[in-house]
Amino acid sequence: MEIFSMVLSLLCGVSLFLFGMSLMGDGLKMVAGNKLEAFLYKMTNTPLKGVALGTGVTSVIQSSSATTVMVIGFVNSGMMKLRQAIGIIMGANIGTSITGWILCLSYIEGSSGIAKVLSTATISAVVAVIGTILRMVCKRTVHKNIGNIMLGFAILMTGMQMMSGAVSPLRENPVFVDMLTMFSNPIAGILVGILFTAVLQSASATVGVLQALSVTGILTFASAFPIVLGIGVGAACPVLISAIGANKNGKRTALVYLINDLFGLILWSIVFYTVNAIVHFTFMNMIMTPVAIALLNTVFRVATVIVLFPFISKVEKLVCWLVKDSAEELEDEEDFDLLEERLLNYPALAIAQCHRVMNGMSKKVRKNVNRAMNLLNDYEQDKFNKVQRKENLIDKYESRLGEYLVQLTKREMNTAQTKQVSLYLHMINDLERIGDHASYIGYMSNEMHENHTEFSETAWDELNVVMEAVREVINITSNAFVNDDRELAQRVAPLGVIITRSCDELKMHHAERLSKGECGLEEGTVFNDILNSFGRIASHCASAMVALMKSGEDTSDIHIHNSKIYPADNTEYYSYLTEYSQKYDIGEIKEHLRSMEPEEVE
């Protein structure tokens, strides 16, 4: 019964410790708002800055895992490069050791004077009272968050005291003494450190438990050292789990965290125990204190970063080798490599590079629109997932190109170059918006599949005719831009008008079917949403082609109407309008049409 009570008290202390640490970290993040994240990815242009920032941010939020998960998000979204992330993760490994020093405050004891004032009970009580007042009385959110920080700190300290109190009777227990002696076996100690930290999912918590065990006065350096070596590897478990849904670079970032700690574990265990076998260190039986545990943890982590820091580029190559890119992903990244910063000083070359990257963007937009529309007639979950992945890539194109073109506007350019850059900025916005509508069509297809939504046969026939027109307009738009074909670009506006008219006509037909009870309200909503996306795709295609045609004009006017289709008063326009009006006449449907385009289409 005594053992059960002791284990229960220890687990209760660990729970309070973890809750307090979480509450304190969350409060600190809320007080900082998005400043921590923004500061993190904006101020990492050198590896040394990355290490410093990783250390600082982790010291604040009290979790290297949280910092690394945050960084994985930045790398996953393309806001941060993998090499920048490596420095931050190294710093996070140092920053997480700060918690051990904070915990040392909970072991200040004394019955009088300054020791009594600084005792754990006094500090925890004062901080808890102030935190409660701020949390309960203050109305401003920032004050409430500060109250949460203080309450979290008080709970954390209370948890540490509870853990220490739970294990203190064990100093007289021979079984416990024997168990700690077993930990002096390096392999056993390392495994305990890994497994215990993997369960708690917090390196700081494991260090806290180790500090609590040290108050028994029987924890030696020989037992503590291998456990500290294993703690970092165990802390990698939640980071690796968080990277399951990330892209290749996100997975590589998570792997950096594991490699950093695994390297430290292997290096220092080999060095330390090899040297010890030769010279026989006299401090192996030294009794550890909470301060000694904190110092050991910090020294181990700092030493690992110092040794590994000069090899950041090698670490990057290693994780890229372990997590290889597919041929398709390599092709995607090739486009971004064209946006070379050194070419910004030569605007003509930089503009030509932007055009090449935009070629890749337009092709991927065209493929994704066709891929999304295929889902309406033949839904497959893998293809839906691919549509969403490619939408993220299209967003990345817009972000990279936009940033590069904005930097280019700060350089000295002639009038024609300035006009070209402005038109390109307009076009990439249109292409990105087309990509958004492709993604939305994909989501509509997914919703129809999950809800078993079905249209009437007539509705499907009409929808497939418009779908064919949308395929043609996006294919013409992409080919016209890639080949710089202004004559082909003239076809887009009249075809866009036909698509818009057809969408309006189909909405009327669907309203009639709805009134007759031939179609449900839910089906009608989805049907209209799909048609709205078709119309917007046509409008953005026309807008992009206006930009393409203006790029060949001598006029300095670069104003473009935002994504609206305006009729042109020329023979070609009316000729194309008549051609497409006959080709996509909904009233002339004589047989069932199933609009599909092969995945391999170029």
Side-chain angles (χ1 to χ4, degrees):
M1 191 66 183
E2 186 179 345
I3 294 174
F4 176 76
S5 177
M6 190 180 299
V7 171
L8 199 62
S9 296
L10 179 63
L11 291 176
C12 185
V14 172
S15 300
L16 286 174
F17 175 86
L18 290 172
F19 175 69
M21 192 166 63
S22 175
L23 186 63
M24 186 167 64
D26 289 345
L28 284 160
K29 283 189 280 187
M30 292 299 292
V31 169
N34 293 324
K35 293 176 184 176
L36 278 178
E37 289 90 338
F39 195 62
L40 197 62
Y41 78 79
K42 285 182 179 178
M43 302 298 290
T44 53
N45 54 335
T46 66
L48 193 58
K49 283 184 181 179
V51 172
L53 284 169
T55 303
V57 170
T58 306
S59 299
V60 169
I61 65 176
Q62 300 287 299
S63 173
S64 58
S65 299
T67 303
T68 305
V69 169
M70 194 191 306
V71 170
I72 288 172
F74 294 147
V75 176
N76 197 53
S77 63
M79 290 191 296
M80 183 181 288
K81 293 180 180 178
L82 179 60
R83 186 169 297 194
Q84 291 174 286
I86 295 172
I88 296 174
I89 292 169
M90 287 181 176
N93 273 279
I94 297 174
T96 193
S97 67
I98 302 299
T99 309
W101 292 103
I102 295 172
L103 298 178
C104 290
L105 294 173
S106 65
Y107 298 102
I108 297 174
E109 295 179 354
S111 57
S112 61
I114 190 67
K116 189 174 182 179
V117 173
L118 293 177
S119 68
T120 305
T122 304
I123 293 172
S124 298
V126 172
V127 171
V129 168
I130 296 173
T132 303
I133 292 171
L134 290 172
R135 186 73 182 82
M136 302 295 291
V137 177
C138 296
K139 294 182 179 180
R140 290 187 62 189
T141 304
V142 66
H143 291 153
K144 288 180 179 292
N145 288 326
I146 292 171
N148 285 340
I149 295 168
M150 301 184 80
L151 283 171
F153 178 78
I155 293 169
L156 180 147
M157 299 292 273
T158 303
M160 280 302 303
Q161 282 295 295
M162 187 171 286
M163 283 192 286
S164 300
V167 299
S168 59
L170 294 175
R171 70 183 72 194
E172 307 296 336
N173 190 310
V175 176
F176 180 71
V177 174
D178 291 340
M179 185 176 68
L180 284 184
T181 305
M182 180 190 72
F183 291 165
S184 61
N185 179 307
I187 296 176
I190 288 168
L191 288 175
V192 167
I194 292 173
L195 293 173
F196 202 69
T197 310
V199 171
L200 293 181
Q201 298 206 357
S202 171
S204 298
T206 308
V207 171
V209 172
L210 204 57
Q211 286 178 303
L213 289 174
S214 70
V215 300
T216 61
I218 53 176
L219 180 66
T220 63
F221 183 92
S223 299
F225 182 66
I227 297 175
V228 170
L229 290 178
I231 285 173
V233 177
C237 289
V239 176
L240 294 172
I241 291 170
S242 73
I244 288 174
N247 60 21
K248 292 289 178 67
N249 276 330
K251 289 181 172 67
R252 288 167 182 155
T253 307
L255 204 54
V256 168
Y257 188 93
L258 175 62
I259 287 171
N260 185 87
D261 288 303
L262 198 58
F263 172 81
L265 164 63
I266 295 170
L267 174 68
W268 298 120
S269 59
I270 292 173
V271 170
F272 181 83
Y273 288 109
T274 300
V275 175
N276 182 52
I278 299 170
V279 301
H280 302 292
F281 293 128
T282 57
F283 54 79
M284 293 297 284
N285 294 321
M286 179 184 75
I287 300 301
M288 300 297 284
T289 64
V291 173
I293 296 289
L295 180 61
L296 173 61
N297 186 40
T298 301
V299 170
F300 162 65
R301 293 175 178 277
V302 171
T304 301
V305 170
I306 289 173
V307 172
L308 205 54
F309 183 78
F311 302 101
I312 285 180
S313 60
K314 304 297 182 185
V315 173
E316 183 181 22
K317 288 180 181 178
L318 176 60
V319 294
C320 288
W321 178 77
L322 291 170
V323 183
K324 293 182 173 66
D325 283 314
S326 65
E328 185 180 17
E329 288 165 331
L330 288 171
E331 180 189 347
D332 293 342
E333 289 298 323
E334 280 178 4
D335 280 342
F336 300 129
D337 291 338
L338 296 173
L339 301 177
E340 174 59 58
E341 290 189 12
R342 286 172 292 187
L343 294 180
L344 289 169
N345 295 320
Y346 310 96
L349 293 175
I351 290 171
Q353 294 296 87
C354 286
H355 189 277
R356 291 175 65 187
V357 177
M358 288 174 70
N359 285 347
M361 182 181 185
S362 68
K363 289 177 182 177
K364 287 175 178 61
V365 168
R366 178 179 62 77
K367 285 183 180 180
N368 223 34
V369 170
N370 285 313
R371 193 180 288 122
M373 291 193 293
N374 283 354
L375 292 172
L376 291 170
N377 283 314
D378 184 21
Y379 183 86
E380 290 183 28
Q381 188 63 38
D382 287 345
K383 291 182 178 179
F384 167 74
N385 293 338
K386 188 171 184 179
V387 167
Q388 305 313 319
R389 286 199 308 273
K390 293 302 179 183
E391 163 56 15
N392 292 334
L393 177 63
I394 291 165
D395 288 343
K396 191 174 177 182
Y397 266 98
E398 196 242 358
S399 175
R400 292 284 187 89
L401 278 164
E403 183 180 337
Y404 193 78
L405 287 166
V406 167
Q407 289 185 56
L408 195 53
T409 59
K410 299 173 184 177
R411 302 305 200 273
E412 188 175 339
M413 296 185 291
N414 59 39
T415 305
Q417 289 168 340
T418 302
K419 175 184 173 183
Q420 194 69 34
V421 169
S422 298
L423 292 171
Y424 279 179
L425 283 167
H426 181 93
M427 290 180 76
I428 61 173
N429 178 65
D430 278 317
L431 291 172
E432 190 275 332
R433 293 295 296 138
I434 293 170
D436 287 345
H437 288 292
S439 174
Y440 187 69
I441 292 169
Y443 277 115
M444 288 294 99
S445 304
N446 176 261
E447 185 178 316
M448 289 172 64
H449 175 74
E450 290 183 349
N451 298 332
H452 305 288
T453 304
E454 279 295 337
F455 301 143
S456 66
E457 193 173 273
T458 304
W460 272 119
D461 288 342
E462 292 177 343
L463 193 66
N464 275 284
V465 171
V466 179
M467 215 184 299
E468 283 294 295
V470 174
R471 290 190 194 279
E472 183 164 353
V473 80
I474 188 65
N475 290 342
I476 290 174
T477 299
S478 179
N479 291 331
F481 179 76
V482 170
N483 300 315
D484 199 24
D485 191 337
R486 290 170 177 76
E487 185 176 342
L488 185 62
Q490 293 179 42
R491 287 180 167 269
V492 173
L495 179 51
V497 169
I498 298 302
I499 292 170
T500 304
R501 287 179 185 173
S502 297
C503 288
D504 292 339
E505 188 177 344
L506 261 62
K507 289 176 186 177
M508 293 297 296
H509 291 177
H510 212 68
E512 291 172 8
R513 288 191 290 271
L514 190 63
S515 65
K516 294 177 183 178
E518 297 174 4
C519 176
L521 184 61
E522 183 182 344
E523 289 84 355
T525 302
V526 173
F527 192 77
N528 283 342
D529 284 345
I530 292 170
L531 290 174
N532 287 336
S533 288
F534 285 171
R536 296 309 299 158
I537 288 171
S539 297
H540 283 291
C541 285
S543 176
M545 290 301 95
V546 169
L548 175 64
M549 289 186 285
K550 278 184 175 287
S551 67
E553 296 176 359
D554 294 331
T555 174
S556 59
D557 175 31
I558 59 171
H559 179 69
I560 300 171
H561 294 289
N562 288 325
S563 306
K564 291 185 179 180
I565 305 172
Y566 295 90
D569 190 17
N570 57 55
T571 307
E572 290 84 0
Y573 176 84
Y574 291 107
S575 173
Y576 294 140
L577 192 67
T578 302
E579 176 188 336
Y580 290 125
S581 179
Q582 295 171 351
K583 184 176 182 179
Y584 298 110
D585 187 354
I586 296 170
E588 294 297 318
I589 300 176
K590 295 184 175 59
E591 59 182 21
H592 298 308
L593 173 68
R594 188 167 181 265
S595 178
M596 292 290 291
E597 189 158 344
E599 177 75 16
E600 302 76 31
V601 69
E602 283 297 339

